[in-house]
Amino acid sequence: MKKIIFLQLFLLIFSGSIFSQKIEVPTISLTNIDFEIKITDYSDSLLSVPVRIISSDNKYVNQIFLSKNENSFSGKLKIPESGRYFVELNNKRFEATINVLPGIISIIPPIVAILFALIFRQVLFSLLLGIFVGTFFLYDYNPIIAFMRMVDVYIINSLIDKSHIQIIVFTLMFGGVIGLISKSGGTTGIANLLIPLAKNRKSGLLATWLSGIIIFFDDYANTLVVGNLMRPLTDKLKISREKLAFLVDATSAPVASIFLISSWIGYEVGLIQDGFKAIGSEINAYNVFLDTIIFRFYPIAMLLFIPITIMMKRDFGPMLKAERKAVLNGVESKHLKSKSNDILKSTELFGNEDKAKWYNGVIPILIIVFGTIAGLIFTGIKSLEVQGINSYSIRDIISYSDSYAALLWSSAAACVVAGVMIVSQKIMNLGEIMDAWFLGIRSMFLAVVMLTLAWAIGTITQDMKTADYIISVISDSIAPHWLPVLVFIVCAATSFSTGTSWGTMAIMMPLVIPLAFHVSSINNFSEADSYLIMVGSISSVLAGCVFGDHCSPISDTTILSSMASGCDHVAHVNTQLPYAVFVAVFCMLLGDIPTAFGFPPLLSIALIVLTLVVGVRLIGKKVEN
């Protein structure tokens, strides 16, 4: 009896030791797309091990030999047909299953999001629908389970990530700062500084342009303040409402998107970080964000195009006609009869213009700017010391810094400083300060919701291997050097059609970063060249989305620019679009394409500016004869 028990124990232990291996396989794979199988805790004496792929109906599908790699065995294979599959080793089946989906299915969620955004002009609904479609495919085509997983897995997981929460809190805190400085009259005070400079048409246009650049921290605040503040002055100087609306629109999103501190930064950095997580990279997203700025040719060129036309006193196309009519007859009746209202005076976010002081707007913004810089230096040096690195450059400090902590500290400090300044000057009482702060936070709520859904659909595309499928389809037909300009075109067309830059970023960024990474890898690019293509592609997403947001007739900033400038909306779109396309074409030809081949971006910007000057000189005509 004892011998039998001993034998049973021996067999149990022996069989357990034989099959104590651990296997790593993807839960989701796509047809005809390579995926990796990895087995650990197996005999070190072998150089390879055979594994069998068995379908759910117990049919043999394929066999692969996994090669030894240090302490594990791994190998790649592809399965041609969809379905559920198991892995067998030594006739023992692992519990893990591989759900193989048709490759075409992986691109349906983002396509649904894009198409419904185009059709219904509702980005939040479109993102939600894209997420639902993804969970529908991932969870065995069960609509009820798909709806439940959409809420309790994908949306919730987007919110429990620490870096995501940091970005959300910074975005809300920055909104609070905007609420405080706007309600206290600080934003108006900044713009008031430039009014005395406007004495003729040229100086009036330059003052409007400078106002748009100075109010860089938020595109909505920029549009509302500059449009309403400068309109009486530009009317007096016989500057057309179309030209005013163009200046207001061209210095809203283009400015906010490229400045180091703005309401856009948390959103952009968050999308970049999530994209790099999808390819397994821990690179500092804020550092990448900084690197993309010099490659964002469209917003940079547009900001420089404005003073070119002002200094040369030339316009072309519909804008030329509008300007000449304004010089001869003043403001056209179609603008006076439009439904445009004085938003600056009616919106609850602004107030206390009679107490407007420029330093109430400047000081809180400077607190954010220099507070963020100080935070980056502090966290970067601390991180370098922990790593044991004693010799480092500014670039190293930024690379090792905690940008989210720096942004959080500076935005929180700016809220406190702004509140203390307002109380000390008796502009508002404590209750009104809290109300203004909450109004600012509320103004950023849509951005937070959109960002959350962007993270969720990004996870969906990651789980469904969307980038892998796109790469398998186009990797052989597209050269990496052409990727930045193609990304710009796609993002520009999408954001123009949907009217939203942020929604387009949310859809495109999770696809573009893995695409750039894998296309560069397939073509055996060096690390430096791969990073160049990556930065160029990311900057093309951000710049292309700004183009669409800037000139789309259904964009919120385009509509606000028309309203705040008292300009007929159709007239604003018709006069602005030729300028936007004119600048965008040169940015692609002289910026996106050559820099992808290694041409210095600063020289590209210089060439773009030179070409714009020549172009305006050749096709533009003097407004005043």
Side-chain angles (χ1 to χ4, degrees):
M1 186 66 180
K2 290 181 180 180
K3 291 182 179 180
I4 294 175
I5 295 175
F6 177 78
L7 181 60
Q8 288 176 338
L9 286 172
F10 174 78
L11 291 174
L12 181 62
I13 295 171
F14 179 74
S15 61
S17 63
I18 289 177
F19 206 66
S20 61
Q21 301 82 25
K22 297 177 182 178
I23 187 170
E24 296 178 16
V25 293
T27 55
I28 299 292
S29 185
L30 302 177
T31 54
N32 294 312
I33 302 293
D34 285 331
F35 64 90
E36 186 178 46
I37 296 179
K38 184 177 182 180
I39 294 178
T40 56
D41 298 334
Y42 200 72
S43 174
D44 293 336
S45 60
L46 299 175
L47 296 177
S48 64
V49 295
V51 295
R52 289 159 47 96
I53 307 299
I54 306 298
S55 65
S56 57
D57 55 0
N58 291 318
K59 291 182 179 179
Y60 167 77
V61 176
N62 196 1
Q63 178 171 289
I64 179 176
F65 284 86
L66 306 183
S67 302
K68 185 177 181 181
N69 183 18
E70 294 182 355
N71 298 323
S72 64
F73 293 86
S74 61
K76 290 186 177 182
L77 76 155
K78 60 180 69 175
I79 298 177
E81 296 183 2
S82 61
R84 287 191 176 275
Y85 296 87
F86 300 91
V87 179
E88 285 188 356
L89 175 64
N90 297 330
N91 294 320
K92 297 286 287 187
R93 180 174 295 184
F94 289 97
E95 293 183 3
T97 61
I98 307 169
N99 185 13
V100 180
L101 301 175
I104 191 69
I105 282 181
S106 66
I107 64 172
I108 292 180
I111 287 179
V112 166
I114 293 172
L115 288 179
F116 275 78
L118 292 173
I119 296 170
F120 296 105
R121 319 293 187 190
Q122 294 293 328
V123 175
L124 291 181
F125 169 75
S126 303
L127 287 171
L128 279 169
L129 188 60
I131 297 167
F132 173 76
V133 170
T135 55
F136 178 75
F137 291 135
L138 290 170
Y139 291 93
D140 298 324
Y141 311 100
N142 186 322
I144 297 176
I145 299 298
F147 179 80
M148 294 165 62
R149 295 296 88 86
M150 176 183 73
V151 177
D152 65 12
V153 173
Y154 285 94
I155 292 179
I156 293 300
N157 285 351
S158 296
L159 293 171
I160 62 177
D161 184 275
K162 181 183 177 181
S163 61
H164 290 180
I165 290 296
Q166 287 176 315
I167 293 168
I168 288 173
V169 173
F170 163 71
T171 302
L172 295 176
M173 295 293 279
F174 194 90
V177 175
I178 293 173
L180 289 172
I181 66 177
S182 298
K183 196 69 173 179
S184 66
T187 307
T188 305
I190 295 173
N192 283 338
L193 287 174
L194 298 171
I195 290 180
L197 301 177
K199 297 177 180 179
N200 51 45
R201 277 180 51 86
K202 181 178 176 181
S203 60
L205 289 168
L206 285 173
T208 305
W209 172 67
L210 286 172
S211 298
I213 292 179
I214 288 175
I215 306 176
F216 61 84
F217 46 84
D218 182 67
D219 53 336
Y220 290 162
N222 179 307
T223 300
L224 295 172
V225 172
V226 176
N228 282 280
L229 186 69
M230 302 303 292
R231 190 175 67 230
L233 182 65
T234 54
D235 286 351
K236 181 181 178 181
L237 297 173
K238 292 190 175 182
I239 296 169
S240 68
R241 292 281 178 90
E242 289 91 342
K243 191 61 173 284
L244 173 62
F246 167 67
L247 294 180
V248 169
D249 209 352
T251 55
S252 56
V255 170
S257 68
I258 61 174
F259 268 70
L260 298 182
I261 302 296
S262 76
S263 55
W264 286 52
I265 184 174
Y267 189 80
E268 292 177 318
V269 172
L271 292 176
I272 292 170
Q273 182 201 6
D274 235 43
F276 276 102
K277 279 186 177 179
I279 59 175
S281 174
E282 297 297 326
I283 193 171
N284 187 303
Y286 189 79
N287 199 28
V288 176
F289 167 82
L290 295 177
D291 289 339
T292 64
I293 291 177
I294 197 65
F295 289 90
R296 298 195 219 174
F297 301 109
Y298 177 78
I300 293 173
M302 180 54 70
L303 292 176
L304 297 174
F305 173 74
I306 296 171
I308 289 173
T309 60
I310 295 173
M311 299 304 294
M312 297 179 70
K313 298 181 179 180
R314 289 175 178 269
D315 283 294
F316 59 85
M319 188 68 78
L320 177 64
K321 296 179 181 178
E323 280 287 83
R324 285 180 170 176
K325 285 182 180 179
V327 170
L328 292 174
N329 307 315
V331 180
E332 289 188 77
S333 59
K334 66 179 178 182
H335 301 304
L336 299 175
K337 294 178 182 179
S338 70
K339 296 181 181 180
S340 301
N341 297 307
D342 195 341
I343 298 177
L344 180 61
K345 303 301 179 183
S346 62
T347 182
E348 56 185 354
L349 191 60
F350 295 89
N352 293 295
E353 284 79 12
D354 56 326
K355 302 176 183 178
K357 294 180 176 64
W358 64 268
Y359 48 80
N360 287 334
V362 170
I363 292 177
I365 295 300
L366 290 179
I367 292 292
I368 295 180
V369 174
F370 290 107
T372 301
I373 294 172
L376 291 173
I377 294 172
F378 174 76
T379 57
I381 291 176
K382 281 287 186 182
S383 180
L384 287 166
E385 289 176 349
V386 170
Q387 298 283 337
I389 303 173
N390 299 317
S391 178
Y392 42 78
S393 63
I394 293 295
R395 180 92 175 188
D396 295 328
I397 293 174
I398 298 297
S399 298
Y400 281 86
S401 65
D402 186 344
S403 58
Y404 299 126
L407 291 169
L408 283 174
W409 297 335
S410 61
S411 59
C415 286
V416 174
V417 170
V420 171
M421 291 178 65
I422 294 169
V423 168
S424 63
Q425 297 172 68
K426 298 181 180 179
I427 297 175
M428 294 187 290
N429 58 39
L430 183 59
E432 291 171 332
I433 289 173
M434 295 306 298
D435 289 341
W437 187 63
F438 277 114
L439 281 173
I441 288 176
R442 194 175 70 185
S443 71
M444 302 303 291
F445 183 71
L446 177 62
V448 169
V449 174
M450 192 176 293
L451 188 55
T452 301
L453 297 182
W455 286 323
I457 199 169
T459 305
I460 287 287
T461 59
Q462 182 179 344
D463 289 349
M464 294 192 68
K465 319 291 184 185
T466 304
D468 291 348
Y469 177 73
I470 295 175
I471 291 162
S472 71
V473 173
I474 71 171
S475 59
D476 295 332
S477 59
I478 181 174
H481 295 302
W482 295 98
L483 190 59
V485 69
L486 292 177
V487 169
F488 179 88
I489 293 171
V490 172
C491 291
T494 304
S495 59
F496 179 85
S497 303
T498 60
T500 170
S501 54
W502 286 28
T504 304
M505 290 180 205
I507 295 170
M508 298 304 299
M509 195 68 80
L511 302 177
V512 168
I513 291 178
L515 178 62
F517 173 76
H518 289 293
V519 168
S520 298
S521 299
I522 290 171
N523 287 270
N524 298 317
F525 271 32
S526 66
E527 184 177 346
D529 289 339
S530 297
Y531 187 71
L532 177 64
I533 298 300
M534 177 66 73
V535 170
S537 299
I538 294 173
S539 62
S540 291
V541 172
L542 302 175
C545 289
V546 168
F547 169 84
D549 183 272
H550 174 211
C551 58
S552 171
I554 57 173
S555 163
D556 48 5
T557 51
T558 305
I559 294 169
L560 281 177
S561 297
S562 299
M563 299 290 285
S565 304
C567 179
D568 179 77
H569 184 59
V570 175
H572 169 45
V573 173
N574 289 340
T575 53
Q576 176 173 259
L577 188 57
Y579 280 7
V581 173
F582 178 75
V583 173
V585 168
F586 289 120
C587 289
M588 288 186 287
L589 294 177
L590 301 176
D592 295 322
I593 295 174
T595 53
F597 286 89
F599 193 75
L602 285 175
L603 288 181
S604 280
I605 293 173
L607 283 176
I608 291 169
V609 171
L610 179 62
T611 307
L612 292 176
V613 171
V614 174
V616 171
R617 181 67 181 83
L618 292 176
I619 67 175
K621 295 181 180 180
K622 290 281 187 181
V623 173
E624 299 176 88
N625 294 323

